[in-house]
């Protein structure tokens, strides 16, 4: 950790990078084997994967389209992890953020862009904030475990927005269930046409820096991390654990909500009926874990996953390898990181997760057994 | 409405409640065993999806759906074995490893579908498990109509609820499972192998999760569809909590969810103007409310989710 000055910085970072890199190589190897099993040439497939992501400037632009939401959902999951919470609900918060932005983006017309753009973004952020604050409140007040409740909130978001887009906010005269197109005053500028890359990436990058400052340079962030390290000790030190749990969840949801807003403002310009989850929220879990729940790591892992997802499209169409291969490789990485837990626990004593109802008390117990090893 | 018609509708609702509850029952029994031994298995959702795929594949290859049942359970057991290895031997974070299983299931089954059937979305149709008619039951008025002719896996699910309850609370091995989940150190002190008991329970939960998936592809349908588990594994986990980690309690919660799903179909049949989205939302909202109402009174196994480090 950066707050451990006596340690050699280089040694520290190489130690942190080793495990994710091993995981990445094994995932690539597994992916290669699967491609060979399909009867295709792995090197050719990976070449098209790479070309699809970086071959031309516009491909790179498309990669950025995938990277921006992953940065934000990754940050979202990481922020909750830092408070000892597991927000599996980034997916639902992202969906609510899209809906909030599509609504505010389309009801106002004639506003100047410098008002309408932040207003629309704010609507997405607020929707995510509320959607995550609810399970946060349930956790803090009633001890309802956030893993189950955020999963439920995901499904409720999926069907609730489905209702809205089919009954309440459906664009008049359209054949497909979709909201109105947002006003041009709420749209973000495209950067590298014909790709859909837009200024949303700057907001994602700024969020990385803001989250870093928030978590490590402010009192609020310190309190959230203290609760995440040992909530019982934090309570003893006079930190309001209840407040911090709700705050951490709500902020985590805000980031996912912002991701949804940027998707609407920069890419889709409307909310289309979803026939299933988008996957950005779930991928955020992998991004956060691979990125060690740190903004710098998240930037790298979001970039990695984003380019894999983008390149997979060309790999599928040209080399004939199903893009689902990327999901398999991601799961291999997450498997490895789950096992890395023990190692990491010794290195930096991070969050502890358990399914207990009264988690704070149990956390001490689980940390206790962990460290007695 | 005529009384005869009403009874028909009621019998239909009871039958569809049981049909919808069956996959949840299998999976939640799996959740009970796993969590009772102290291992959280959030990967049940993914295990179900694997079970559904390999159930279909078994039936496709042999034209015998019962081979599909076997294959689905076998693959469920293997995936659970991986979870047990991570959770027990490597002391992995159990929620993270479960997330990995779910990720692998979604993309893995889609990948296999393309490799083996060269299609996306759904497989071709395969022989399904036919309904059974229960000799004496079918002649009883109302009951015969409601539960006299159902899929054999539905009956199996109900039988397993009672067997699991007996196993967990009346047998020595059941006691061991509970002991390991409550206080692994004490259990080890009296000579119980925490490792073996946890491996056994997690693999058992995988077999049950696989069976839940097989029911989806070979009981409810006659094919595999991408993502057909659709959150049922998570609802089953919620049923475990709502049922206070007891087979019968989880069963009742599953019946409640099954009823909500049955009513959804019923409303649609009767042409009632309730947006289907609200009905789809219902089980998840009910789950949320149940969890809120029950926490405090519903106590998880003490050591659930905590890797066991061994006696020092």
């Amino acid at each position: 950790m950066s707050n451990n000055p006596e340690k050699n910085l280089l040694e520290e970072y190489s130690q942190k990078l080793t495990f994710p890199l091993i995981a990445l190589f094994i995932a690539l190897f597994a992916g290669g084997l699967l491609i060979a099993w399909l009867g295709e040439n792995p090197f050719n497939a990976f070449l098209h994967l790479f070309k699809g992501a970086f071959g031309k400037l516009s491909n790179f632009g498309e990669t950025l389209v995938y990277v921006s939401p992953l940065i934000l959902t990754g940050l979202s999951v990481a922020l909750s992890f830092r408070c000892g919470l597991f927000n599996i609900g980034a997916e639902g918060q992202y969906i609510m953020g899209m809906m909030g932005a599509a609504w505010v983006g389309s009801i106002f017309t004639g506003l100047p862009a410098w008002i309408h753009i932040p207003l629309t973004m704010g609507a997405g952020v607020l929707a995510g904030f509320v959607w995550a604050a609810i399970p946060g409140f349930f956790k803090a007040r009633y001890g309802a475990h956030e893993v189950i409740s955020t999963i439920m909130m995901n499904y409720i978001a999926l069907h609730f927005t489905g209702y809205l887009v089919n009954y309440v906010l459906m664009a008049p005269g359209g054949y497909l269930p979709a909201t109105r197109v947002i006003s041009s005053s709420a749209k973000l500028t495209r950067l590298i046409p014909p790709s859909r890359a837009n200024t949303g990436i700057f907001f994602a990058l700024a969020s990385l820096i803001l989250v870093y400052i928030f978590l490590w340079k402010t009192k609020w962030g310190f309190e959230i991390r203290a609760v995440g390290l040992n909530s019982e000790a934090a309570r003893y030190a006079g930190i309001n654990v209840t407040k911090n749990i709700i705050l951490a969840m709500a902020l985590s949801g805000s980031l996912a909500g912002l991701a949804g807003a940027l998707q609407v403002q920069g890419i889709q310009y409307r909310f289309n009926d979803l026939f299933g989850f988008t996957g950005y929220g779930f991928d955020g879990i992998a991004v956060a874990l691979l990125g060690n729940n740190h903004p710098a790591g998240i930037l790298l892992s979001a970039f990695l996953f984003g380019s894999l997802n983008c390149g997979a499209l060309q790999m599928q169409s040209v080399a004939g390898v199903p893009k689902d291969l990327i999901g398999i490789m991601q799961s291999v990485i997450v498997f490895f990181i789950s096992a890395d837990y023990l190692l990491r626990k010794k290195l930096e004593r991070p969050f502890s997760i358990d399914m207990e109802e009264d988690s704070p008390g149990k956390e001490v117990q689980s940390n206790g057994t962990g460290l007695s090893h | 409405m005529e009384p005869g018609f009403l009874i028909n509708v009621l019998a239909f609702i009871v039958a569809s409640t049981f049909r919808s509850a069956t996959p949840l029952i299998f999976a939640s029994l799996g959740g009970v065993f796993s969590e009772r031994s102290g291992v959280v298995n959030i990967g049940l959702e993914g295990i179900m999806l694997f079970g559904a795929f390999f159930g279909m594949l078994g039936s496709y290859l042999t034209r015998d759906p019962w081979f599909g049942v076997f294959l689905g359970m076998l693959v469920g057991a293997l995936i659970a074995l991986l979870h047990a290895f991570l959770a027990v031997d490597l002391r992995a974070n159990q929620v993270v490893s479960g997330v990995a299983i779910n990720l692998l299931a979604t993309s893995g089954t889609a990948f296999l579908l393309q490799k083996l059937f060269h299609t996306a979305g759904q497989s071709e149709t395969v022989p399904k498990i036919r309904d059974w008619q229960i000799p004496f039951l079918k002649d009883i008025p109302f009951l015969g109509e409601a539960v006299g002719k159902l899929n054999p896996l539905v009956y199996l699910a109900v039988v397993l609820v009672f067997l699991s309850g007996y196993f967990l609370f009346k047998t020595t091995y059941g006691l061991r499972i509970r002991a390991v989940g409550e206080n692994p150190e004490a259990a080890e002190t009296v000579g119980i192998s925490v490792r073996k008991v946890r491996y056994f329970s997690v693999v058992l939960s995988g077999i049950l999760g696989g069976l839940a998936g097989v029911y989806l592809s070979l009981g409810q349908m006659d094919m595999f569809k991408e993502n057909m588990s659709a959150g049922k594994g998570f609802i089953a986990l919620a049923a475990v909590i709502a049922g206070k980690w007891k087979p019968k309690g989880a069963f009742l919660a599953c019946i409640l969810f099954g009823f909500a799903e049955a009513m959804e179909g019923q409303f649609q049949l009767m042409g009632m103007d309730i947006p289907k989205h609200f009905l789809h939302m219902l089980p998840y909202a009910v789950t949320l409310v149940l969890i809120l109402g029950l926490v405090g009174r519903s106590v998880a196994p003490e050591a659930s989710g905590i890797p066991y480090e061994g006696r020092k």
Side-chain angles (χ1 to χ4, degrees), chain B residues 54-55 65-76 211 214:
Chain B
F54 282 95
W66 291 101
F67 182 73
V69 173
F70 167 75
L71 194 63
M73 287 164 66
L74 180 71
V75 171
L211 193 56
V214 171

Side-chain angles (χ1 to χ4, degrees), chain A residues 36-332:
Chain A
W37 183 53
L38 286 174
E40 306 290 338
N41 180 346
F43 297 102
N44 184 44
F46 282 138
L47 181 69
H48 283 291
L49 183 73
F50 186 82
K51 275 188 181 168
F54 304 108
K56 281 184 297 201
L57 189 61
S58 62
N59 292 56
F60 177 70
E62 277 300 304
T63 293
L64 291 183
V65 168
Y66 286 86
V67 171
S68 314
L70 288 179
I71 288 177
L72 287 163
T73 54
L75 275 178
S76 162
V77 176
L79 201 148
S80 72
F81 271 148
R82 287 286 171 187
C83 190
L85 300 162
F86 199 157
N87 177 15
I88 300 193
E91 181 72 30
Q93 294 139 21
Y94 172 85
I95 291 173
M96 293 307 287
M98 282 205 294
M99 182 49 98
W103 183 57
V104 170
S106 59
I107 52 170
F108 296 106
T109 44
L111 284 179
W114 63 270
I115 295 180
H116 204 184
I117 285 176
L119 191 67
T120 309
M121 254 178 228
V125 168
L126 186 66
F129 182 96
V130 171
W131 212 248
I134 295 169
F137 175 74
F138 289 170
K139 163 90 178 184
R141 177 72 180 75
Y142 300 103
H145 201 281
E146 77 280 3
V147 165
I148 294 289
S149 58
T150 51
I151 288 172
M152 297 300 131
M153 293 298 281
N154 282 342
Y155 283 94
I156 296 175
L158 183 64
H159 297 303
F160 179 57
T161 52
Y163 165 73
L164 288 179
V165 78
N166 275 283
Y167 290 86
V168 186
L169 296 173
M170 189 165 150
Y175 295 101
L176 292 168
T179 62
R180 281 173 203 272
V181 173
I182 59 172
S183 311
S184 50
S185 54
K187 290 179 185 171
L188 297 172
T189 312
R190 296 260 163 110
L191 295 171
I192 315 171
S195 87
R196 297 170 297 166
N198 58 76
T199 49
I201 186 75
F202 299 128
F203 291 94
L205 293 173
S207 304
L208 279 167
I209 298 165
L210 286 177
V211 168
Y212 176 76
I213 293 172
F214 174 78
L215 276 177
W216 280 279
K217 306 289 172 198
T218 71
K219 178 173 165 286
W220 288 14
F222 172 79
E223 287 196 357
I224 283 178
R225 286 186 300 121
V227 172
L229 287 172
N230 188 334
S231 64
E232 203 60 14
R235 194 193 305 276
Y236 212 71
I239 292 174
N240 185 341
V241 174
T242 308
K243 185 198 88 180
N244 278 290
I245 286 177
I246 300 175
L247 181 69
M249 276 304 280
L251 290 178
S252 161
S254 307
L255 290 160
L258 177 61
L262 296 181
Q263 192 71 8
V264 165
Q265 292 180 269
I267 314 285
Q268 295 177 204
Y269 298 149
R270 63 185 348 182
F271 186 99
N272 297 304
D273 196 8
L274 302 162
F275 296 97
F277 289 122
T278 66
Y280 280 121
F282 299 123
D283 288 355
I285 299 172
V287 169
L289 288 169
L290 185 65
N292 209 1
N293 299 313
H294 189 282
I298 288 167
L299 176 64
L300 293 176
S301 60
F303 212 86
L304 173 73
F305 284 136
S307 44
L308 285 176
N309 283 330
C310 181
L313 300 174
Q314 180 166 342
M315 181 180 74
Q316 176 162 281
S317 60
V318 181
V321 175
K323 64 179 184 340
D324 305 291
L325 185 81
I326 305 304
I328 298 177
M329 285 163 57
Q330 280 184 7
S331 74
V332 170

Side-chain angles (χ1 to χ4, degrees), chain B residues 75-203:
Chain B
V75 171
L78 288 176
I79 303 288
L81 198 63
L82 175 65
H83 184 58
F85 173 66
L86 289 164
V88 179
D89 283 346
L90 299 185
R91 284 168 231 145
N93 180 321
Q94 298 165 7
V95 177
V96 175
S97 136
V99 165
I101 289 177
N102 295 336
L103 254 174
L104 180 66
T106 322
S107 38
T109 53
F111 185 85
L112 286 173
L113 197 62
Q114 300 227 1
K115 161 73 187 165
L116 301 175
F117 293 87
H118 305 287
T119 58
Q122 59 187 54
S123 74
E124 48 190 277
T125 55
V126 297
K128 66 178 293 193
I129 303 168
R130 296 185 182 287
D131 285 2
W132 280 6
Q133 205 154 34
I134 304 297
F136 301 99
L137 202 59
K138 74 170 166 44
D139 300 322
I140 305 171
F142 183 71
L143 267 185
E145 235 180 297
V147 294
K149 185 171 186 268
L150 290 169
N151 195 284
L153 293 186
V154 178
Y155 299 116
L156 179 65
V158 177
V159 171
L160 280 183
V161 171
F162 291 96
L163 280 182
S164 305
Y166 179 81
F167 178 62
L168 205 51
F169 293 101
K170 303 282 189 227
T171 66
T172 322
Y173 207 84
L175 177 66
R176 284 186 190 165
I177 293 177
R178 288 183 290 129
V180 164
E182 287 295 336
N183 192 336
E185 300 212 357
E188 192 121 308
T189 315
V190 295
I192 301 171
S193 162
V194 173
R195 183 167 175 269
K196 274 186 194 159
V197 169
R198 287 195 168 169
Y199 257 95
F200 172 82
S201 307
V202 174
V203 169

